Amino acid sequence: MFNLLHMDCRRLVKSRSFYITLSVVAVLIVLVNLLSVTISDPDFLDTMEAVGAEINEYDRQTSEFIRQMGQLDLAQEILGGGFLLLATGIGVTVFFSQDFTSGYVKNIGTVQPSRKRYVLEKVVFTGLYSGVLTVLSMLLTLGTPILVNFYPRPDSFLAIAQYTVFLWLPSWAFGLMALFMVLLSRNNVLGILMSLASGMGLTAALSQVLPYLLHLPSPSPYFLSSVVRDQCIPYLYPSQMQMILLCSAGWGLAYFLGSLLVMEKRDI
């Protein structure tokens, strides 16, 4: 398994898709910071109002909130809305689909025919992929404000590390969803579509319809997009940590078992 993991890590370093994903994340973070520093400037609001734009009390409260924002508040605004899930899901989908389009999986199946070992290695690699993407995204979020003269209130290293870990766990589970979709379809279309729908919260929203009609509790709070949006906040409480751990482990295990089943039932 470690040989397979080593080969995937080498492929990742040479993969253009990974660097494209990082570039998109970096551009988004820079744009959000530019927007934040612009909106937080009271002189900008006064100028806009002077030229005829409608500036209300809500706009000024938003400006004040941004000026008092901490580093983790900024990270939550950028990464906690589902964008990191999207980046992880699409990145994993594109990377793993190359196993089938390039013939890599057939060669691996000939040399090391254990399909369980193949899936287990992909699970570990997905954790590494999502971890690297999460850490780099956090570093960009913390570092890029300096480039645009925006200085959020600093948070402690321990709080930043804790938030990063609990943001990474649902991203790992989300990446396993992308792995399952690739193994199921043997291409990247289904994985990309599901990443978009799930990352933006569409599947969680749709899951509320039937329970609402039947007057049953909604399962939407347990979807990964809802967990990231509602539970992954700065300075987590123990109940939120438990929710993140249980949902990430539950969905991750379900996608892992589904991936094993798909690999056992279909020819490579």
Side-chain angles (χ1 to χ4, degrees):
M1 187 186 76
F2 292 104
N3 290 333
L4 294 177
L5 185 62
H6 178 68
M7 284 190 290
D8 271 348
C9 289
R10 290 184 61 183
R11 290 171 57 211
L12 179 65
V13 172
K14 299 178 181 179
S15 172
R16 285 191 304 173
S17 63
F18 179 65
Y19 295 107
I20 291 174
T21 301
L22 279 181
S23 299
V24 172
V25 171
V27 168
L28 174 75
I29 291 173
V30 171
L31 289 177
V32 171
N33 279 290
L34 281 172
L35 181 63
S36 298
V37 73
T38 301
I39 295 177
S40 65
D41 185 1
D43 294 336
F44 172 77
L45 295 181
D46 293 339
T47 301
M48 293 297 295
E49 190 173 30
V51 298
E54 184 178 349
I55 304 297
N56 53 35
E57 186 61 26
Y58 175 78
D59 297 322
R60 298 193 180 278
Q61 290 177 355
T62 301
S63 176
E64 179 66 22
F65 171 76
I66 294 174
R67 287 197 297 274
Q68 297 178 1
M69 185 180 289
Q71 290 177 316
L72 289 179
D73 295 320
L74 179 64
Q76 184 187 16
E77 291 295 325
I78 297 175
L79 305 176
F83 177 74
L84 185 60
L85 295 181
L86 279 173
T88 301
I90 294 176
V92 168
T93 297
V94 173
F95 185 82
F96 286 158
S97 64
Q98 295 172 359
D99 286 8
F100 295 94
T101 58
S102 66
Y104 172 80
V105 70
K106 291 185 177 180
N107 296 331
I108 292 299
T110 301
V111 177
Q112 300 188 30
S114 174
R115 301 188 184 197
K116 292 182 180 179
R117 186 179 301 173
Y118 173 84
V119 173
L120 184 59
E121 183 273 330
K122 294 302 179 186
V123 170
V124 174
F125 179 80
T126 302
L128 292 174
Y129 185 102
S130 58
V132 169
L133 190 59
T134 302
V135 170
L136 292 178
S137 298
M138 280 298 299
L139 291 176
L140 286 169
T141 300
L142 299 175
T144 52
I146 301 174
L147 301 177
V148 294
N149 293 320
F150 180 49
Y151 301 97
R153 185 186 69 254
D155 288 297
S156 68
F157 174 80
L158 182 61
I160 293 172
Q162 181 190 67
Y163 179 80
T164 303
V165 170
F166 282 93
L167 187 62
W168 162 60
L169 292 174
S171 298
W172 186 0
F174 197 85
L176 295 182
M177 179 206 70
L179 169 63
F180 172 67
M181 294 300 167
V182 170
L183 296 181
L184 181 65
S185 63
R186 307 299 168 93
N187 59 57
N188 57 22
V189 176
L190 184 60
I192 291 176
L193 290 177
M194 281 301 298
S195 295
L196 289 171
S198 300
M200 293 187 296
L202 179 59
T203 53
L206 292 176
S207 72
Q208 301 180 39
V209 176
L210 185 59
Y212 175 79
L213 295 176
L214 299 177
H215 304 286
L216 296 173
S218 172
S220 64
Y222 305 102
F223 280 63
L224 293 172
S225 59
S226 300
V227 169
V228 170
R229 183 183 65 248
D230 300 330
Q231 305 298 327
C232 291
I233 63 173
Y235 300 98
L236 294 161
Y237 293 105
S239 59
Q240 293 168 320
M241 296 180 188
Q242 184 180 25
M243 180 75 163
I244 296 170
L245 288 171
L246 290 176
C247 290
S248 299
W251 284 108
L253 180 61
Y255 290 130
F256 169 62
L257 295 176
S259 298
L260 283 177
L261 182 62
V262 168
M263 285 299 288
E264 290 295 332
K265 295 298 183 181
R266 292 190 61 182
D267 293 332
I268 293 179

